[in-house]
Structures are given as structure tokens and as C-alpha cells.
Amino acid sequence: MTRCPSAEQLAELASGLAGGDARDALAAHVEGCPQCSTQLAALAATWEQLDAWQVAEPRSGLAAEFRLLLDAEPQTPVAAARRAEVPWRLWLAIAAALALVAVLPAVYFNGNGATLALAAGKIEVRDSVGDAWRPASLVTGGQSVRTIGAATLHAPDGSRVELQSGNISRLDPSGTGERLHLFVEAGRAEFDVAPDARAFVVETTAGQVRVVGTYFGVEASAARPDLLVAWVQRGKVEVSNDRGTTVLEAGQCCCCARRAGPAEQRFEPGGLVFVRNEHHPTVAFLARVHSTSPQGVRVTVRGQPQDLPYDRVFVRPLKQGLPVQVSVRTGQPLRPATLIRVIDNKVQVRLPDGVHRVEPEAVHIEVDSK
Amino acid sequence: MELTSPALEDRELMRRVQQDDRAALAELFERHHRTVHGLLARYTGDLTRADDLVQETFLQVWRSRQRYQEQGSFRSWLVTVAMNKLRDAAQRDQRRRETPLEHDVPQDHRTPAELPQRVQQAVGALPESQRSVLLLVKYEGLSLAEAAAALETTPAQARGRLCRALETLRGKLGAKPT
């Protein structure tokens, strides 16, 4: 090759994509051409620099989670399912009718149809009158179950309950083949509810979670019986207590206290929450939720992730016109302002000198955070 | 037993997936999810989101299993599915850009601290068409032809984009010949 190669050819050579005869010809030219040699060396160095960008591994357990999601997928290929598609209004009507059917048996039946069979691990059970725990492979209505290590239980409809070590739950006798009702006294439990299950109700002292066809978890603490933590991985659940009801969707989490409605305690990735100042309980700043877990909320504070327990974080609806204190730039003193809206990850506020967009962390709000 | 190349094994597994074999897809997930995760994490800059998109990608493989044809490698078809998932997610984000206060707020994109900022920023600033080719070829090890197929373009265009990307990065990263 006598003519200098094109920039594209040099880039191919630098990135190792040139092959065979073309590569040899290019290399031969470059060897005798100082200009091309310099350019190739710079491109090759850039290509190597890119190796510095490594990303972390996927989270552990992703394959197991995927298997659960895959198991919940219908067998029918989507294309075939689409052919059989019916208008959404009809589905809505069918869903409403099914919901009614699912609720009615709970009202009119009071049998002992609820059972959970041990699928993995060890459990002990005791009935409502006995005081001794005994090994078991089946839990029936009215019995309490205690796990030794982690255990998995199967419901007749294919739903699965994963109980954390030390979990104590009670299978309510009012549960029937149509409806399972589990009361979690202490510990964490995760539920993979079959899509065609009629209804599944999980209750703790602090509230209730009702679900059809989803993957979710519930944790109740013996030390804090007023708190219920529910998180949803797939599908939807409805969380309720005597102060209200909220629907959680995939990725959302709720730390539900008895004294407040669940909607006020719903966390979701990307959502804004208040983080209570440790030293000044009535002062809070806004932060963005990164992720949620049974242990608490990960928020982004000044660009850094920070894990906070649920008692440091709370959600309130943000209302336009809310009086706030903001520091427009880092280090500047707080100034009174009013909230306008959230846009592009920033909070828009009105100050005497005009409208400003500030970082959520710069907005301080004096609230009764109790 | 005849030894087969991984590409053939992927195709064989995909044939089983087409016969509704979920275990075969779980095996394909095990083999390829790290590659897909790397692509999605670099694209979004958000590891958690990449985890979710990986699952969505493989679920889409299950749902679209009858559309898979044994032309080209399984991996390039998988990357096409992942790229479509990315586009869908980007469109969803676009719709969520401006949100009333009392409803949802836009997604926060985490920037993992462990990523070398300069390279990440420089690649992130490339036009999307160039960035896509670079990510597929450099980090996922696809050939230009495979990357072009995944991006629904021609190998010649993919080559041109890769070249322009490398030129731009050379300017931004200030690489000196070694």
C-alpha cells in the first residue's frame, strides 16, 4: 500500500477489527509512514484507555429472580395471545367480576380449607390450643408456623411463600381454597403468588397486604409491632390499615406505621422523600430515592448514596406554594421561598428575585416530622 | 458426543426455548446476562436499572421466541432485543420528564462511583449512533457486522461511526501514543 490509509482504516486497525490481508497491508504501510504511525499509536492508546471503564457485576441472585419471573410467564407465545386479545373494557369487566368472586367466599365461608405444604427447609407448627412446637410438613388453618432456618411453603394453587429464619406466622383458619390468609407475627416473608390465585392476604399488627399474582415481601418486627414493611418485585399489591389504602407496584416499597396512612409512606426509586435532620426533628431536606429494601431506603445525598432506616425518611405530598427554605448555591445561607414544582431532577422554587432551579438537597422544609 | 461451538449450543438452546423449554432460557440467561448487563449499565449509567432491563430483555426473548431465526448469532439477536428495551425505556423516561409535584418525579440516574469518570463522560457525550457501535464492539466484543445487524444499519455505516467515535474520544481523552 503506497497511499496513506483512510481514517476509518486506521481506526479499524487500532481497534483490532481489520482482518487478514487488509490488516497486513495497512500494517506494512504504517511501519514506513511516520505520520500514519503516530496517528495509529494515538488511536490505539485511546482504544486501550477505554478498558478503564469497567462496570460492576449484576446484583447477586439476579438469575434466581429471573427464574421466578420466567416461571410466571404464560406458556402461550405473545403472538398467539394477541390473536385472542379482547378489548380492555371487557377485561376490566372480567377482572371486576373475578374480584367480586374472590371477595365473596371470604365473607361467606369459614372453613378449614387453607393449607401450606413444606417444600424446602424445616418448620415446626402448633395449633391454636397447644403450647408445644412440633416438626411438621403441612400447615393447616389455625396453626402457627415457626421456621428453623429458612423454609419454603407451597400453597395448593402453586403460590410460594419464602419464610426467613426465625419467622413466626399464623395461617388464619378463615382462609379457604379460594383465599389464603397469613398473619406474620415476626420476621420476613416473601410471596410468589401464582397469577391465577384468587386472593392472598398477608396481615401484620400494623396493616394488611392483599394480592393477586405477584412477587412481594412483608416484614414485621417483634420490637416494632407498629411497623409493616412491604416491597413489590412483580405485579401489584394493595396495602391498607385503618388510616387508608395504597397500591404498590413493582419497585415500590412502603414502610407502613399504624399512625399514618400507607400512601404517605410509599417509597419508589426516583421519588423524592424527606430526610429528617438528626439534630433538628422539625427540619428536613429533600432527597431522591435510589432504591428500597426491607432494611431501609437508599437515597442520593449530594451525589452520594446513603442508606437510611425508615424512621429517618418519610414521604409527604409536595404541594405547590409550600413555604420552604433554600440555599440556591452551596454554602449560601438558607432563604425563604415557595415551592413551584419538580422538573428534570431539580426543584423549582420562587424567591423574591425570581424563579430558581435548585438541587433537592438544597431545599429545607420545616415540618412536623413526627 | 460431538463437541459443538458455543454459538451452535446457543442456537440449540434457543430451539428448545422455541419448544417452550424454560430451563433452556435460564441457561441462556446464565451464559449471557453479564454481557447484556455490561451493555445496559454502560448505556444507562445505572446499575439497578440495568439489572431490571436485563430481566426485561430475557423475558422479551421468551415472549418473542417464535420470531427468532437462526440467521446470525444468538448474541447479536439478544443485543437487538436489549437495544429495543433500552429504546422503550428511554421513551418512557421522555414521557416522564416533566411531572406535576403531587405525582411521580423523574428517575434519578445513579453514577456509580467506581466508574472512571472521564471515560464514562467522554463516551456518554458521543452521539447515540456512535456510542451504540462503540459499546457493542469495544465492550461486548461484537464484530462490526454483528453490531450493524443489532443496530439495523450497514457494516460500512457502523465502521464510519466507530471511526468518528474513536477520533472524538482521542480528542477528549487526550491519549498520547504509547
Side-chain angles (χ1 to χ4, degrees), chain A residues 23-54:
Chain A
R23 181 187 56 217
D24 296 342
L26 283 169
H29 171 88
V30 167
E31 219 173 271
C33 175
Q35 199 181 346
C36 288
S37 177
T38 307
Q39 203 180 346
L40 177 67
L43 287 170
T46 302
W47 190 253
E48 275 181 30
Q49 271 188 312
L50 298 178
D51 290 334
W53 185 12
Q54 297 297 323

Short mmCIF file of all heavy atoms in Angstrom, two decimals, chain A residues 23-54:
data_model
loop_
_atom_site.label_atom_id
_atom_site.label_comp_id
_atom_site.label_asym_id
_atom_site.label_seq_id
_atom_site.Cartn_x
_atom_site.Cartn_y
_atom_site.Cartn_z
N ARG A 23 -5.32 -6.09 6.90
CA ARG A 23 -4.56 -5.71 8.08
C ARG A 23 -3.06 -5.70 7.78
O ARG A 23 -2.33 -4.78 8.14
CB ARG A 23 -4.85 -6.68 9.22
CG ARG A 23 -4.13 -6.35 10.52
CD ARG A 23 -4.33 -7.44 11.55
NE ARG A 23 -3.90 -8.73 11.02
CZ ARG A 23 -4.52 -9.87 11.29
NH1 ARG A 23 -5.58 -9.90 12.05
NH2 ARG A 23 -4.08 -11.01 10.76
N ASP A 24 -2.61 -6.74 7.08
CA ASP A 24 -1.18 -6.83 6.77
C ASP A 24 -0.73 -5.66 5.90
O ASP A 24 0.33 -5.07 6.11
CB ASP A 24 -0.89 -8.16 6.06
CG ASP A 24 -1.18 -9.34 6.99
OD1 ASP A 24 -1.26 -9.11 8.22
OD2 ASP A 24 -1.33 -10.47 6.48
N ALA A 25 -1.56 -5.33 4.91
CA ALA A 25 -1.20 -4.22 4.02
C ALA A 25 -1.15 -2.90 4.77
O ALA A 25 -0.24 -2.09 4.59
CB ALA A 25 -2.21 -4.13 2.87
N LEU A 26 -2.15 -2.70 5.65
CA LEU A 26 -2.17 -1.47 6.44
C LEU A 26 -0.94 -1.39 7.34
O LEU A 26 -0.28 -0.36 7.43
CB LEU A 26 -3.43 -1.45 7.33
CG LEU A 26 -4.76 -1.10 6.65
CD1 LEU A 26 -5.90 -1.39 7.62
CD2 LEU A 26 -4.77 0.36 6.26
N ALA A 27 -0.67 -2.50 8.01
CA ALA A 27 0.46 -2.52 8.94
C ALA A 27 1.77 -2.23 8.21
O ALA A 27 2.64 -1.50 8.72
CB ALA A 27 0.52 -3.87 9.64
N ALA A 28 1.90 -2.78 7.00
CA ALA A 28 3.13 -2.56 6.23
C ALA A 28 3.28 -1.08 5.89
O ALA A 28 4.37 -0.52 5.99
CB ALA A 28 3.08 -3.40 4.95
N HIS A 29 2.17 -0.45 5.52
CA HIS A 29 2.24 0.97 5.18
C HIS A 29 2.61 1.79 6.41
O HIS A 29 3.49 2.65 6.37
CB HIS A 29 0.92 1.47 4.61
CG HIS A 29 0.90 2.97 4.47
ND1 HIS A 29 1.35 3.61 3.33
CD2 HIS A 29 0.54 3.95 5.34
CE1 HIS A 29 1.27 4.92 3.50
NE2 HIS A 29 0.75 5.14 4.72
N VAL A 30 1.93 1.49 7.51
CA VAL A 30 2.12 2.30 8.72
C VAL A 30 3.56 2.22 9.21
O VAL A 30 4.13 3.21 9.67
CB VAL A 30 1.13 1.82 9.83
CG1 VAL A 30 1.50 2.40 11.18
CG2 VAL A 30 -0.29 2.20 9.45
N GLU A 31 4.14 1.07 9.03
CA GLU A 31 5.51 0.89 9.52
C GLU A 31 6.48 1.86 8.85
O GLU A 31 7.40 2.36 9.48
CB GLU A 31 5.95 -0.55 9.22
CG GLU A 31 6.77 -1.16 10.34
CD GLU A 31 7.03 -2.62 10.08
OE1 GLU A 31 6.19 -3.44 10.49
OE2 GLU A 31 8.04 -2.93 9.42
N GLY A 32 6.21 2.15 7.58
CA GLY A 32 7.11 3.04 6.85
C GLY A 32 6.62 4.48 6.76
O GLY A 32 7.20 5.27 6.03
N CYS A 33 5.55 4.82 7.44
CA CYS A 33 4.98 6.17 7.32
C CYS A 33 4.87 6.80 8.71
O CYS A 33 3.98 6.43 9.49
CB CYS A 33 3.60 6.10 6.65
SG CYS A 33 2.75 7.70 6.61
N PRO A 34 5.76 7.71 9.05
CA PRO A 34 5.77 8.27 10.41
C PRO A 34 4.44 8.94 10.78
O PRO A 34 3.98 8.83 11.92
CB PRO A 34 6.90 9.32 10.36
CG PRO A 34 7.71 8.97 9.17
CD PRO A 34 6.82 8.26 8.20
N GLN A 35 3.83 9.60 9.79
CA GLN A 35 2.58 10.31 10.08
C GLN A 35 1.47 9.33 10.49
O GLN A 35 0.79 9.50 11.50
CB GLN A 35 2.15 11.09 8.83
CG GLN A 35 1.16 12.19 9.14
CD GLN A 35 0.75 12.91 7.85
OE1 GLN A 35 1.38 12.76 6.80
NE2 GLN A 35 -0.32 13.66 7.95
N CYS A 36 1.31 8.28 9.67
CA CYS A 36 0.28 7.28 9.98
C CYS A 36 0.62 6.53 11.25
O CYS A 36 -0.26 6.16 12.04
CB CYS A 36 0.14 6.28 8.82
SG CYS A 36 -0.65 6.98 7.38
N SER A 37 1.89 6.29 11.45
CA SER A 37 2.33 5.56 12.65
C SER A 37 1.94 6.32 13.92
O SER A 37 1.44 5.74 14.88
CB SER A 37 3.85 5.38 12.56
OG SER A 37 4.31 4.75 13.71
N THR A 38 2.15 7.65 13.88
CA THR A 38 1.80 8.48 15.04
C THR A 38 0.29 8.45 15.27
O THR A 38 -0.19 8.29 16.41
CB THR A 38 2.24 9.94 14.80
OG1 THR A 38 3.62 9.93 14.45
CG2 THR A 38 2.03 10.80 16.02
N GLN A 39 -0.44 8.58 14.16
CA GLN A 39 -1.91 8.60 14.29
C GLN A 39 -2.43 7.27 14.81
O GLN A 39 -3.31 7.23 15.68
CB GLN A 39 -2.53 8.91 12.92
CG GLN A 39 -3.91 9.50 13.04
CD GLN A 39 -4.51 9.80 11.69
OE1 GLN A 39 -3.82 9.81 10.68
NE2 GLN A 39 -5.80 10.04 11.69
N LEU A 40 -1.87 6.18 14.30
CA LEU A 40 -2.32 4.86 14.73
C LEU A 40 -2.01 4.65 16.21
O LEU A 40 -2.84 4.13 16.96
CB LEU A 40 -1.63 3.77 13.89
CG LEU A 40 -1.96 2.35 14.31
CD1 LEU A 40 -3.42 2.01 14.03
CD2 LEU A 40 -1.05 1.33 13.58
N ALA A 41 -0.83 5.08 16.63
CA ALA A 41 -0.45 4.90 18.04
C ALA A 41 -1.41 5.65 18.96
O ALA A 41 -1.81 5.15 20.02
CB ALA A 41 0.98 5.38 18.25
N ALA A 42 -1.81 6.85 18.53
CA ALA A 42 -2.73 7.65 19.36
C ALA A 42 -4.10 6.98 19.43
O ALA A 42 -4.72 6.90 20.50
CB ALA A 42 -2.87 9.05 18.79
N LEU A 43 -4.56 6.47 18.29
CA LEU A 43 -5.87 5.80 18.27
C LEU A 43 -5.83 4.52 19.12
O LEU A 43 -6.76 4.22 19.86
CB LEU A 43 -6.28 5.45 16.84
CG LEU A 43 -6.71 6.63 15.96
CD1 LEU A 43 -6.85 6.19 14.51
CD2 LEU A 43 -8.03 7.22 16.45
N ALA A 44 -4.73 3.78 19.00
CA ALA A 44 -4.60 2.54 19.76
C ALA A 44 -4.57 2.84 21.26
O ALA A 44 -5.15 2.11 22.08
CB ALA A 44 -3.35 1.79 19.35
N ALA A 45 -3.89 3.95 21.62
CA ALA A 45 -3.82 4.33 23.04
C ALA A 45 -5.21 4.69 23.55
O ALA A 45 -5.60 4.34 24.68
CB ALA A 45 -2.85 5.49 23.22
N THR A 46 -5.98 5.39 22.72
CA THR A 46 -7.35 5.75 23.11
C THR A 46 -8.19 4.49 23.30
O THR A 46 -8.93 4.35 24.27
CB THR A 46 -8.00 6.63 22.03
OG1 THR A 46 -7.20 7.79 21.85
CG2 THR A 46 -9.42 7.04 22.41
N TRP A 47 -8.04 3.56 22.35
CA TRP A 47 -8.80 2.30 22.43
C TRP A 47 -8.48 1.57 23.74
O TRP A 47 -9.37 1.03 24.40
CB TRP A 47 -8.43 1.44 21.22
CG TRP A 47 -9.28 0.23 21.02
CD1 TRP A 47 -8.92 -1.06 21.25
CD2 TRP A 47 -10.63 0.19 20.56
NE1 TRP A 47 -9.96 -1.89 20.96
CE2 TRP A 47 -11.03 -1.17 20.53
CE3 TRP A 47 -11.55 1.15 20.15
CZ2 TRP A 47 -12.30 -1.58 20.13
CZ3 TRP A 47 -12.81 0.75 19.75
CH2 TRP A 47 -13.18 -0.59 19.75
N GLU A 48 -7.21 1.59 24.11
CA GLU A 48 -6.82 0.92 25.36
C GLU A 48 -7.35 1.66 26.58
O GLU A 48 -7.72 1.04 27.57
CB GLU A 48 -5.29 0.82 25.44
CG GLU A 48 -4.76 -0.39 24.73
CD GLU A 48 -3.25 -0.50 24.83
OE1 GLU A 48 -2.69 -0.04 25.84
OE2 GLU A 48 -2.65 -1.02 23.87
N GLN A 49 -7.36 2.99 26.50
CA GLN A 49 -7.88 3.77 27.63
C GLN A 49 -9.31 3.38 27.98
O GLN A 49 -9.72 3.44 29.13
CB GLN A 49 -7.85 5.27 27.30
CG GLN A 49 -6.56 5.96 27.67
CD GLN A 49 -6.70 7.45 27.49
OE1 GLN A 49 -7.18 7.89 26.45
NE2 GLN A 49 -6.29 8.21 28.47
N LEU A 50 -10.04 3.00 26.95
CA LEU A 50 -11.45 2.67 27.18
C LEU A 50 -11.60 1.45 28.09
O LEU A 50 -12.64 1.24 28.70
CB LEU A 50 -12.17 2.42 25.85
CG LEU A 50 -12.22 3.60 24.89
CD1 LEU A 50 -12.90 3.21 23.59
CD2 LEU A 50 -12.97 4.77 25.51
N ASP A 51 -10.54 0.63 28.18
CA ASP A 51 -10.61 -0.55 29.05
C ASP A 51 -10.79 -0.17 30.51
O ASP A 51 -11.20 -0.98 31.33
CB ASP A 51 -9.33 -1.39 28.91
CG ASP A 51 -9.25 -2.08 27.56
OD1 ASP A 51 -10.32 -2.31 26.97
OD2 ASP A 51 -8.14 -2.35 27.10
N ALA A 52 -10.44 1.08 30.83
CA ALA A 52 -10.53 1.50 32.24
C ALA A 52 -11.98 1.53 32.73
O ALA A 52 -12.23 1.48 33.93
CB ALA A 52 -9.91 2.89 32.40
N TRP A 53 -12.90 1.61 31.78
CA TRP A 53 -14.31 1.72 32.18
C TRP A 53 -14.90 0.32 32.39
O TRP A 53 -15.35 -0.33 31.46
CB TRP A 53 -15.10 2.48 31.11
CG TRP A 53 -16.51 2.75 31.48
CD1 TRP A 53 -17.09 2.59 32.71
CD2 TRP A 53 -17.55 3.19 30.61
NE1 TRP A 53 -18.41 2.93 32.67
CE2 TRP A 53 -18.73 3.31 31.39
CE3 TRP A 53 -17.61 3.52 29.26
CZ2 TRP A 53 -19.94 3.73 30.86
CZ3 TRP A 53 -18.82 3.95 28.74
CH2 TRP A 53 -19.96 4.05 29.53
N GLN A 54 -14.85 -0.12 33.59
CA GLN A 54 -15.43 -1.41 33.94
C GLN A 54 -16.70 -1.18 34.75
O GLN A 54 -16.78 -0.22 35.51
CB GLN A 54 -14.44 -2.24 34.79
CG GLN A 54 -13.16 -2.58 34.05
CD GLN A 54 -13.40 -3.46 32.83
OE1 GLN A 54 -14.24 -4.34 32.84
NE2 GLN A 54 -12.66 -3.20 31.75
#
